[in-house]
Amino acid sequence: MTPPVIEARGLTVSFTLPGGFLTRRPPPTVQAVSAVDLSVAKGETLALVGESGCGKSTLGRALIRTQSISNGRVLFKGRDITDLKGEALRAARSSFQMIFQDPYASLNPKMRVFDTLAEPLRVHGGGSRAEIRERVDEILDAVGLDRSFGARYPHEFSGGQRQRVAIARAVVLKPDFIVADEPLSALDVSLQLQVLKLFDALRRRFSLTYLFVSHDLARVFGFADRVAVMYLGKIVEIGPATSLVARPAHPYTQALIAAAPSPDPVLEASREVPRLSGEIPSPLDPPGGCRFHTRCPFVMPVCRSVEPPMLPAGPDHRAACHLLGSGTGPA
Ligand code: SF4
């Protein structure tokens, strides 16, 4: 069987915060990502969703080794890359790309678009000048930008066009794995759909594999193959997008779906799901047991002391909730 393109096993990322000197206590530590198991298959789009601050972006960066890992392993095509350093790490990273929320901040304002796209090709021995020119033109065509735009600078573009340039730069080397971190957030709604379609078209054309980080569950329906829902550093539900939307098993996923109006009016009218209330607890002091228990409308005594394991919720669909183990299942 082909190994996944990327795989996390018990992946944990902790940050030590400043402080503790005056109180003589050890400095506080926050676990942004806590023992996450995850894999992404070749050609797949896995959406990683959850509220802001839940650890999604940190997990994405840890997978491509631009964020240090405190515990657990990361495997790239079956090879353990957790401890790679120096040149070996740089070589592995050339197989990965990241697309950011703010394309303007991620592009060099002093560099013409042509050079922005040609530079990675030159660095990685992308061929003669003519071959690089041809490849840049091909990628400009693929992202829907006129070839003449290669002569322009980032400030000459609209926000949507700049994001297309950033996507082109990420795709130009045909990487094995792309982390797109909230790539729609800076765009207005009409552009979001166009950019989503572009992501999908590029995936099919270049056999790309995406981890698509988003706070907006509704945006990724119909786009992602699978969805992983994250809460306070943990994956609480993962499954095929269609199954997860139609039959969300975790109360947190249910609440996220409730907060996102469905584009399907029939589904919208027939849905009865709880609304999410309360603030996300501090990751400095996450609740014991089920981390969602302080906000869960179905909380039971066991939820406060025992962390629920991931349990089957359907074909290739799992969720971490004691209700699944009790046989009753959430409403
Ligand atoms: Fe709610 Fe308990 Fe399930 Fe956590 S384990 S989501 S608190 S019912």
Side-chain angles (χ1 to χ4, degrees):
M1 214 170 92
T2 315
V5 169
I6 206 88
E7 187 177 0
R9 293 185 186 164
L11 186 63
T12 299
V13 178
S14 304
F15 298 109
T16 302
L17 303 181
F21 177 70
L22 292 176
T23 59
R24 294 174 187 254
R25 291 192 190 126
T29 302
V30 56
Q31 215 169 67
V33 176
S34 186
V36 163
D37 294 326
L38 195 72
S39 66
V40 192
K42 179 160 178 55
E44 182 181 38
T45 298
L46 176 68
L48 183 60
V49 301
E51 288 163 291
S52 157
C54 72
K56 313 180 292 292
S57 301
T58 307
L59 173 56
R61 289 196 303 271
L63 288 173
I64 58 171
R65 293 292 328 275
T66 56
Q67 166 67 56
S68 50
I69 293 165
S70 312
N71 224 326
R73 316 304 301 170
V74 176
L75 280 71
F76 170 51
K77 295 183 176 173
R79 174 186 171 217
D80 193 331
I81 60 165
T82 319
D83 299 321
L84 292 186
K85 291 188 174 61
E87 190 47 48
L89 178 57
R90 271 192 292 281
R93 279 190 190 141
S94 69
S95 304
F96 310 135
Q97 286 292 327
M98 188 147 186
I99 297 167
F100 298 91
Q101 175 176 343
D102 180 358
Y104 199 57
S106 70
L107 296 172
N108 184 341
K110 295 181 180 161
M111 206 181 253
R112 285 193 175 90
V113 165
F114 177 85
D115 292 312
T116 296
L117 302 181
E119 188 186 42
L121 293 167
R122 292 182 191 126
V123 169
H124 292 94
S128 65
R129 287 176 63 155
E131 286 167 336
I132 288 176
R133 159 70 61 188
E134 194 180 320
R135 178 80 183 124
V136 169
D137 284 346
E138 182 200 1
I139 215 74
L140 284 170
D141 292 346
V143 300
L145 292 175
D146 193 275
R147 292 180 178 193
S148 66
F149 287 9
R152 297 191 189 175
Y153 290 93
H155 72 268
E156 297 178 71
F157 293 100
S158 67
Q161 287 172 327
R162 275 199 290 266
Q163 191 58 294
R164 284 174 190 266
V165 174
I167 293 168
R169 188 187 52 181
V171 169
V172 74
L173 286 176
K174 298 184 182 165
D176 289 287
F177 182 54
I178 295 176
V179 174
D181 188 5
E182 300 275 10
L184 308 177
S185 297
L187 306 175
D188 61 42
V189 176
S190 62
L191 284 175
Q192 288 182 4
L193 203 57
Q194 291 178 26
V195 172
L196 269 183
K197 282 184 179 162
L198 175 62
F199 270 105
D200 208 33
L202 293 171
R203 174 176 67 138
R204 281 185 269 110
R205 179 164 175 176
F206 299 119
S207 303
L208 300 172
T209 304
Y210 297 133
L211 180 77
F212 198 90
V213 175
S214 175
H215 67 280
D216 187 351
L217 190 52
R219 267 290 148 247
V220 300
F221 295 164
F223 167 67
D225 300 303
R226 286 190 304 147
V227 176
V229 179
M230 200 164 179
Y231 186 77
L232 267 185
K234 287 189 170 284
I235 303 289
V236 296
E237 182 160 6
I238 185 165
T242 44
S243 156
L244 192 130
V245 174
R247 291 175 299 283
H250 196 283
Y252 180 57
T253 313
Q254 294 186 350
L256 287 181
I257 291 173
S262 166
D264 179 340
V266 178
L267 187 65
E268 181 66 20
S270 65
R271 224 171 37 188
E272 282 185 32
V273 283
R275 302 270 157 187
L276 190 59
S277 63
E279 291 297 313
I280 191 165
S282 166
L284 266 174
D285 186 22
C290 171
R291 292 188 174 194
F292 188 58
H293 83 248
T294 55
R295 302 169 83 187
C296 181
F298 308 109
V299 61
M300 304 174 287
V302 66
C303 306
R304 297 190 172 90
S305 56
V306 180
E307 184 177 344
M310 287 296 257
L311 295 168
D316 197 28
H317 183 172
R318 288 171 297 133
C321 177
H322 287 304
L323 287 168
L324 288 166
S326 71
T328 55

